[in-house]
Amino acid sequence: MSEKLNIKTMADYALEGKSPEVLFWVGCAGSFDDRAKKITKAFVKILNSINVEYAVLGKEESCTGDPAKRAGNEFLYQMQAISNIELMNSYNIKNIVTTCPHCFNTIKNEYPNLGGDYQVLHHTQFLKNLIKEGRLKINGGYYKGKKITFHDPCYLGRANNEYEAPRELIEKLELELIEMKRCKSKGLCCGAGGAQMFKDAEKGKKEINIERTEEALSTKTKIIGAGCPFCNTMISDGIKSKELDSDIKVMDIAELIANAQNI
């Protein structure tokens, strides 16, 4: 992926004696999950198209430790976090952007306690800022007249009180937003948070991702917007369970923008 998309690493910049504008923290999902890789590529294509100077850690990047911490293994979390912090501090990294709200929340709110102080943005916040600075112009005509509903990621919304950045981008795309009954601060979790993504479902009448998928389907929209690779997976699985994956698309905001820009 690095060669095709011309992605430089922090090590590349260090060899040149330079620093990028921002570190793109890819995250485990964005690095290894086939569906999430498409989100990573879409975001990178946007950055490349407007010549944003960014870098990734590449093979030096490790898990933030979020799943370990949420699952109750504080010791493993701190080992992972401290290793990442030492690496990023060695590169004198100040600004970070990530497409994963779990990474966003952990690095932004929990790394400072271990010596990692950074300015951290979710990619929807970063893209919103690029628009305000006049560096990114959105082709609104591509989706004009189409409808979308948006699922608020827990670690972007309730954990960090960010609801408007993705909605501002949806507005710029000239999509008609149809909100689910449970949205923003009252939004329903997709079922992946708290390391639930990696364990078997517990006994009950219905899995959370199915409940949330049904809420999204009730809006009668053909596009379900997401801002988290885990949410994307859970809702996509819900759509597949309803055998509607050929009709309903679950798309990250970055993918929507990349499609609109034809990049």
Side-chain angles (χ1 to χ4, degrees), residues 17-261:
K18 299 178 182 178
S19 295
E21 177 183 342
V22 66
L23 168 71
F24 171 28
W25 184 278
V26 181
C28 298
S31 298
F32 301 111
D33 180 78
D34 286 342
R35 177 64 186 88
K37 284 179 188 177
K38 294 178 181 179
I39 299 170
T40 301
K41 289 179 180 180
F43 184 57
V44 161
K45 286 177 181 177
I46 296 169
L47 300 185
N48 285 347
S49 72
I50 56 175
N51 299 315
V52 173
E53 286 199 345
Y54 69 97
V56 298
L57 286 169
K59 292 180 179 179
E60 291 187 287
E61 184 184 294
S62 181
C63 180
T64 61
D66 169 81
K69 186 177 183 70
R70 307 307 160 205
N73 194 334
E74 181 69 18
F75 178 71
L76 177 57
Y77 158 70
Q78 291 202 19
M79 284 180 60
Q80 293 176 306
I82 289 169
S83 176
N84 290 327
I85 289 166
E86 288 177 347
L87 175 66
M88 291 194 287
N89 288 351
S90 73
Y91 282 123
N92 198 31
I93 289 167
K94 302 296 183 187
N95 300 301
I96 300 173
V97 61
T98 179
T99 52
C100 177
H102 297 253
C103 298
F104 165 69
N105 179 70
T106 300
I107 299 173
K108 178 178 183 286
N109 296 320
E110 294 170 352
Y111 274 25
N113 294 330
L114 298 172
D117 290 296
Y118 317 105
Q119 290 293 117
V120 190
L121 293 176
H122 184 253
H123 69 303
T124 57
Q125 296 173 322
F126 189 73
L127 292 169
K128 182 190 77 170
N129 289 347
L130 289 175
I131 292 172
K132 286 187 174 180
E133 293 166 8
R135 300 167 67 186
L136 174 63
K137 299 187 187 302
I138 299 292
N139 175 17
Y142 186 86
Y143 287 107
K144 192 169 184 177
K146 293 187 177 182
K147 296 179 180 180
I148 187 174
T149 193
F150 181 73
H151 167 77
D152 289 286
C154 294
Y155 280 108
L156 181 63
R158 282 191 296 270
N160 288 281
N161 201 36
E162 178 60 81
Y163 302 105
E164 297 312 314
R167 285 171 172 80
E168 285 187 31
L169 295 174
I170 287 170
E171 185 179 349
K172 292 288 184 184
L173 287 163
E174 295 187 39
L175 280 155
E176 182 183 350
L177 178 61
I178 310 295
E179 296 281 15
M180 286 180 257
K181 288 183 179 179
R182 286 185 279 192
C183 65
K184 297 187 178 180
S185 63
K186 295 180 180 178
L188 180 68
C189 177
C190 72
Q196 297 296 305
M197 178 91 172
F198 308 106
K199 62 182 282 293
D200 292 332
E202 297 172 22
K203 291 182 179 179
K205 294 180 180 179
K206 188 189 294 183
E207 291 191 35
I208 296 176
N209 70 310
I210 302 299
E211 175 79 8
R212 190 54 166 167
T213 299
E214 289 173 353
E215 288 191 2
L217 292 173
S218 72
T219 65
K220 307 296 183 183
T221 59
K222 295 292 184 181
I223 305 172
I224 302 172
C228 171
F230 293 104
C231 296
N232 195 304
T233 294
M234 298 298 280
I235 297 175
S236 292
D237 285 351
I239 294 295
K240 288 174 186 174
S241 75
K242 302 289 185 181
E243 298 183 351
L244 292 170
D245 44 310
S246 60
D247 298 323
I248 309 294
K249 301 301 179 188
V250 183
M251 300 184 71
D252 189 88
I253 299 295
E255 294 177 303
L256 291 168
I257 293 175
N259 284 352
Q261 306 301 89

